[in-house]
Amino acid sequence: MRIFRMTRTLQRLDEMLTKAINGTFTEESYDETELSRLESKWKQYFTMSSMSMERTKAERENIQSMISDISHQMKTPLANIMLYSELLQEQTEGEQEKYLAEQIETYAKKLEFLTMALVKMSRLESDVFKICPSVQRVGSLLRQATEEILPRARQKEIQIEICGDIEGKANFDQKWTQEALYNILDNAVKYSPKGSRIEVEGISYEMYFCIAVKDQGIGIREEERAQIFSRFYRSDLVQQEEGIGIGLYLAREIVQREGGYIKVESKEGNGSIFKIFLQKE
């Protein structure tokens, strides 16, 4: 009899867990006092969990609305500031006045970049943006990200070469992975000397497709390698360069949400190799 009751209790517990997983759990009446008490506690737990999920969803929707409002409200003032700064540059004749007008435009562009970067980061963290990976060829990703960074590379006379396997396939979201790769390329251009070379290599492995970005830049100190993917982290070696320290953070977040990861190999003064590993399936 005891074995029968234990078997029945275990079966009921199994049913309760199965229904909880499926979201169909409801409290029922049973004669077994301990089981009924456990069932009641389960009901309380799932009710509280459901309320917590609803609050989280409401907060996420509020964040989404707030971010959209901030983004919308910032666009018009920034656009007007840049327009007026361009008009000032055209209408002023003195060197000092032109310089000041150029500074206004420069800082307005920095503010626009900062605003857009923070909006992207907030939307990504609050799951407002959905990353939808699919199996596709990597070649298009490499070419488009490289073409996007070329204007900045040409300003520093930096050559960018695509090599290796560019016909391979991986599971990724084209738009967001291009954003991740661009951020890594942007860092490579930013911290590489004039006239240097950047190599973007495709490497196919059994389970992953690797995109390796090799530069001849300033490199990364060993003690900083674990920090470079943190939000707003900037080395004291690059404080004079433009940037706010979220490019690599965004790149890692995007790739991780696709089931991949990023590794870095570097020595101070000897360049860096950033490797993006994308799942093949």
Side-chain angles (χ1 to χ4, degrees):
M1 183 66 178
R2 183 179 298 175
I3 296 174
F4 173 76
R5 292 186 62 181
M6 184 177 294
T7 303
R8 185 180 174 187
T9 300
L10 290 173
Q11 288 176 345
R12 177 55 191 154
L13 288 172
D14 183 68
E15 290 174 6
M16 289 166 60
L17 288 172
T18 301
K19 289 182 178 180
I21 292 170
N22 295 332
T24 59
F25 176 80
T26 56
E27 186 177 1
E28 298 178 14
S29 178
Y30 280 85
D31 294 334
E32 292 89 353
T33 304
E34 292 298 326
L35 185 57
S36 295
R37 188 181 303 169
L38 178 61
E39 191 172 19
S40 180
K41 289 182 179 180
W42 269 99
K43 178 64 175 177
Q44 292 176 27
Y45 172 76
F46 287 118
T47 299
M48 293 175 64
S49 297
S50 178
M51 292 174 63
S52 177
M53 290 177 64
E54 289 177 2
R55 284 197 298 269
T56 301
K57 182 180 179 182
E59 289 173 0
R60 185 176 296 169
E61 290 174 351
N62 288 335
I63 291 173
Q64 179 180 357
S65 177
M66 181 180 66
I67 292 171
S68 297
D69 288 343
I70 292 173
S71 177
H72 178 73
Q73 294 296 330
M74 291 286 286
K75 283 181 181 178
T76 301
L78 283 171
N80 286 337
I81 291 172
M82 287 191 285
L83 174 62
Y84 294 147
S85 64
E86 290 174 2
L87 291 174
L88 280 173
Q89 291 179 58
E90 293 175 0
Q91 295 180 9
T92 54
E93 296 181 357
E95 291 298 323
Q96 181 66 16
E97 289 80 4
K98 284 186 178 181
Y99 171 77
L100 293 175
E102 289 173 357
Q103 289 299 301
I104 293 173
E105 183 180 14
T106 297
Y107 284 104
K109 288 180 178 179
K110 287 183 178 180
L111 184 57
E112 181 184 38
F113 171 79
L114 174 61
T115 302
M116 294 306 298
L118 291 176
V119 167
K120 285 179 183 178
M121 183 177 69
S122 299
R123 287 181 171 174
L124 189 64
E125 290 180 340
S126 59
D127 290 328
V128 175
F129 285 156
K130 298 297 181 183
I131 296 179
C132 303
S134 61
V135 178
Q136 52 191 307
R137 294 193 181 280
V138 180
S140 174
L141 168 67
L142 302 183
R143 286 189 292 270
Q144 291 185 33
T146 301
E147 288 173 3
E148 191 177 358
I149 198 64
L150 272 179
R152 297 198 64 180
R154 285 169 179 160
Q155 290 177 356
K156 295 183 69 173
E157 300 177 9
I158 293 175
Q159 294 183 344
I160 300 181
E161 178 185 346
I162 299 175
C163 61
D165 183 2
I166 61 173
E167 298 300 325
K169 291 183 178 181
N171 189 38
F172 62 94
D173 181 302
Q174 173 72 30
K175 175 184 174 182
W176 280 104
T177 313
Q178 184 176 328
E179 171 90 13
L181 180 55
Y182 172 84
N183 288 344
I184 291 175
L185 287 169
D186 182 56
N187 266 27
V189 170
K190 191 183 300 181
Y191 304 126
S192 292
K194 183 178 180 180
S196 60
R197 179 171 170 269
I198 295 172
E199 184 178 289
V200 183
E201 182 182 7
I203 308 168
S204 183
Y205 295 107
E206 184 177 354
M207 297 178 62
Y208 289 91
F209 190 95
C210 173
I211 302 171
V213 178
K214 306 175 185 179
D215 65 51
Q216 299 172 331
I218 60 175
I220 304 166
R221 291 181 295 206
E222 184 176 356
E223 62 270 21
E224 290 186 307
R225 287 180 211 156
Q227 299 173 282
I228 59 174
F229 293 101
S230 302
R231 281 185 296 181
F232 306 115
Y233 178 79
R234 301 201 73 211
S235 170
D236 55 6
L237 299 175
V238 299
Q239 292 299 321
Q240 74 281 2
E241 298 287 347
E242 294 183 8
I244 56 175
I246 67 171
L248 291 180
Y249 168 78
L250 282 175
R252 187 182 64 174
E253 284 292 305
I254 291 166
V255 173
Q256 284 183 343
R257 287 168 187 254
E258 295 176 324
Y261 60 97
I262 299 178
K263 291 179 64 177
V264 60
E265 300 171 7
S266 182
K267 288 185 179 180
E268 186 178 358
N270 290 325
S272 302
I273 306 175
F274 281 84
K275 295 181 177 180
I276 301 175
F277 289 87
L278 303 173
Q279 286 188 339
K280 284 191 170 182
E281 297 181 0

